[in-house]
Amino acid sequence: MSVTRIATFAHTQSMVSASLKLQAQMAKVQEQEASGLKSTSLGGLGTDAARLLRLQSQSTRLAAENASASDALSFAEAAYAAIGDISDLATGILAQLAALNSGSAEDADLVASYASQWLEDLGSMLNADLGGVSLFAGEALDRAAVDFSDADYDPTLDPDAADFAYYQGSDEARTWTSADGTEIPISVSAGDPAFEKLARALSLLAASPDDAATSTKAYDLVQEAVSEIGVLQETVSGRASALQDRVDRNTAKIDILDGLAADLNGVDLAEAAVLVVQQQTQLEALYSTISTLSSLSLLKYL
């Protein structure tokens, strides 16, 4: 048997083994380049896996808190707008009462008519809801906030005493609670003294529009209501601001956590692209060398 080839087998096998390893490395880098991740599985991160899980868990928790805080913020903003409408109504009533102060029978008839309509308007505003959830009934979900036709409601029995019998909601305020236990009230009760004074004034005017003492009492009550409703609106505004601040802080934390997670499991795409090209060049060189070795013949050198 004649020997026709140089003993290149060992060299060829070594280069084939090197090319296979390089192919595996290049496949990994290509996968990283495509996904933007060092590894698509936690197992590929080694000891960094636990840290990545912690970062992702914290980010997820804050994102969930932000979702609930955003819902609460929408509720608070809707309540703020509704209180603004009631404030406008009360301010308009005060101006009308100031104009209708002659005490004539004609004025009395107008006041009675207006008072009934104003009370109806107030009831509609206090029964406003957001997505079916009452803005002014506290935690109550199955009923309207007020009913001025309730049989137990009759402020004329004692014009100087507050009468909250019209309120149909819950005594518990609607609140938003954060993951760390922080509570922010987001509802205002229709049973608040500010609304009670306005309702009482209108009820008194509707019942006794021609009584001078009643008219004076009602005017004073509306005046107090206007001031107190303004305070309520500022209170709700402050709560909405607190919720927005919470959302903003959480968003900043989420950005930091996601950035840390990206650094932990992210790749530099530009660097990965360069590495792929380098590995392709190396692989082509290996293939060329293997091909050359495979074609060598001893006869060429004899």
Side-chain angles (χ1 to χ4, degrees):
M1 178 178 175
S2 61
V3 178
T4 60
R5 291 190 179 277
I6 297 175
T8 58
F9 180 77
H11 295 294
T12 301
Q13 285 297 98
S14 176
M15 289 190 176
V16 168
S17 177
S19 70
L20 291 175
K21 290 181 180 178
L22 189 57
Q23 284 178 15
Q25 292 172 0
M26 189 168 71
K28 180 179 179 180
V29 175
Q30 286 175 326
E31 182 181 3
Q32 291 175 341
E33 184 182 21
S35 67
L37 301 175
K38 291 178 182 176
S39 174
T40 55
S41 67
L42 290 174
L45 291 176
T47 56
D48 285 335
R51 186 183 175 201
L52 179 62
L53 283 175
R54 285 196 300 272
L55 292 171
Q56 291 176 336
S57 175
Q58 292 173 19
S59 178
T60 299
R61 178 182 62 77
L62 289 174
E65 182 174 282
N66 261 11
S68 66
S70 294
D71 288 342
L73 179 59
S74 295
F75 191 91
E77 288 174 339
Y80 177 86
I83 295 172
D85 291 339
I86 297 172
S87 178
D88 291 342
L89 174 67
T91 301
I93 290 172
L94 194 63
Q96 287 276 26
L97 293 181
L100 297 171
N101 61 359
S102 66
S104 66
E106 183 179 351
D107 281 354
D109 290 339
L110 283 174
V111 169
S113 175
Y114 287 162
S116 296
Q117 183 60 55
W118 289 331
L119 189 61
E120 183 178 337
D121 292 342
L122 177 62
S124 296
M125 292 176 181
L126 289 174
N127 283 330
D129 67 81
L130 178 66
V133 179
S134 174
L135 294 176
F136 298 105
E139 286 292 340
L141 298 175
D142 56 350
R143 72 202 81 159
V146 304
D147 180 5
F148 292 123
S149 65
D150 189 291
D152 293 331
Y153 180 61
D154 186 5
T156 63
L157 295 177
D158 186 356
D160 294 323
D163 188 341
F164 297 97
Y166 65 85
Y167 182 58
Q168 311 296 308
S170 168
D171 292 334
E172 296 296 324
R174 185 172 297 280
T175 61
W176 174 80
T177 304
S178 69
D180 61 9
T182 300
E183 292 187 352
I184 299 177
I186 58 174
S187 69
V188 172
S189 171
D192 188 274
F195 300 136
E196 186 281 327
K197 289 177 180 178
L198 182 57
R200 185 173 12 139
L202 299 178
S203 297
L204 294 176
L205 286 173
S208 305
D210 55 353
D211 182 77
T214 297
S215 296
T216 299
K217 177 68 177 178
Y219 184 86
D220 291 342
L221 285 172
V222 174
Q223 205 168 29
E224 292 175 17
V226 167
S227 176
E228 293 176 14
I229 289 172
V231 173
L232 277 181
Q233 199 171 22
E234 290 179 5
T235 299
V236 173
S237 176
R239 293 170 180 172
S241 294
L243 285 167
Q244 185 62 63
D245 289 344
R246 189 83 182 201
V247 170
D248 292 342
R249 287 198 302 272
N250 282 353
T251 299
K253 291 178 182 178
I254 289 171
D255 289 343
I256 292 172
L257 291 169
D258 290 350
L260 291 173
D263 290 342
L264 201 62
N265 192 27
V267 294
D268 186 323
L269 294 180
E271 182 180 336
V274 170
L275 189 56
V276 167
V277 173
Q278 290 175 344
Q279 290 173 336
Q280 285 177 333
T281 302
Q282 293 172 15
L283 195 59
E284 289 171 0
L286 278 173
Y287 285 154
S288 177
T289 302
I290 291 171
S291 176
T292 300
L293 288 173
S294 298
S295 65
L296 289 178
S297 171
L298 183 60
L299 295 175
K300 294 181 180 180
Y301 301 92
L302 294 177

